[in-house]
Amino acid sequence: RSGSATGQQPVWPRRRPSGHAAAPGGASRPTPVGGSVPADYVSEADQPSGYDVRGAVRTLWSGRPMFEKITVVGAGNVGATAAQRIAEKHLARTVVMVDVAEGIPQGKALDQWQSGPVEGFDARVVGANDYTLAAGSELFVVTAGIARKPGMSRDDLVKTNAGIVRSVGEQIKQVAPNAIVIVVSNPLDAMCYVMRQATGFPRERVIGMAG
């Protein structure tokens, strides 16, 4: 019960200690889509006043703590799919999609947010054309850049995408100087280097997503 005396909510989910009896009458347990709540799940009746049961349940179901905010830069096929999966997997309370195309990230974000009741997630998904809503994000997934056209190699993308990724990195540094950045833009190794140079972040916080 640590945290209850100070009024602070614990970060990690609480589980009933061995031998601890359930609340009288047995509080009902919600059942997530595709699985059951662990046997040692602590119900609301077992918790001190003010404990965030919903947050604990989300963490138990996903098996990991949630970020407050994750931003996906780029609302194309890769970016929009990444944002949808982040929301579905309960990785963040707020998912922000940023793209220079007006109306595209806002529309896709609204569609994804409205799918929440069907897909079983309650993360808020929003879109924007600037980085105002991304301020304070703990994690950025960068998918921005032009896609390869027929006959192009990944190396052909260097000149154009380096400029795009550099601009994104400068914006990230301004609005979220403590963030972790996952780079997806191609050519990946070169874009990771550009991102690290643009942000000035230590290498442990600039990660490339590759096979």
Side-chain angles (χ1 to χ4, degrees):
R1 305 292 186 195
S2 62
S4 60
T6 62
Q8 297 177 347
Q9 295 180 0
V11 175
W12 291 93
R14 296 297 185 82
R15 297 196 173 194
R16 181 180 297 115
S18 177
H20 176 70
S28 60
R29 299 179 180 180
T31 302
V33 177
S36 59
V37 174
D40 56 355
Y41 165 73
V42 178
S43 69
E44 187 170 2
D46 293 316
Q47 292 297 342
S49 176
Y51 178 71
D52 182 13
V53 173
R54 287 175 58 82
V57 172
R58 282 193 294 266
T59 305
L60 280 171
W61 291 354
S62 64
R64 60 181 70 83
M66 297 177 71
F67 287 101
E68 285 298 322
K69 187 187 297 182
I70 295 176
T71 293
V72 178
V73 182
N77 290 333
V78 176
T81 302
Q84 180 79 24
R85 293 295 179 264
I86 289 168
E88 289 176 350
K89 291 180 178 294
H90 309 280
L91 298 182
R93 299 181 187 282
T94 301
V95 182
V96 181
M97 264 193 294
V98 176
D99 198 287
V100 295
E102 293 188 11
I104 299 298
Q106 292 89 340
K108 290 188 176 183
L110 184 59
D111 287 343
Q112 292 181 12
W113 194 12
Q114 290 179 337
S115 75
V118 177
E119 297 298 330
F121 67 87
D122 62 356
R124 181 186 181 206
V125 187
V126 295
N129 298 123
D130 58 37
Y131 289 78
T132 303
L133 294 178
S137 294
E138 295 137 295
L139 178 68
F140 282 80
V141 180
V142 179
T143 70
I146 63 170
R148 282 190 298 167
K149 297 177 181 179
M152 290 180 67
S153 69
R154 282 186 168 84
D155 290 338
D156 294 330
L157 305 176
V158 170
K159 186 174 182 180
T160 300
N161 283 357
I164 295 172
V165 171
R166 183 177 297 107
S167 176
V168 171
E170 291 169 352
Q171 294 284 347
I172 291 173
K173 182 179 180 179
Q174 289 183 12
V175 302
N178 297 315
I180 296 170
V181 183
I182 299 177
V183 180
V184 184
S185 306
N186 281 316
L188 185 68
D189 291 345
M191 294 307 102
C192 283
Y193 177 81
V194 170
M195 178 63 69
R196 187 186 174 200
Q197 294 297 107
T199 59
F201 292 173
R203 64 180 185 178
E204 293 82 3
R205 286 167 46 202
V206 180
I207 303 166
M209 192 291 295

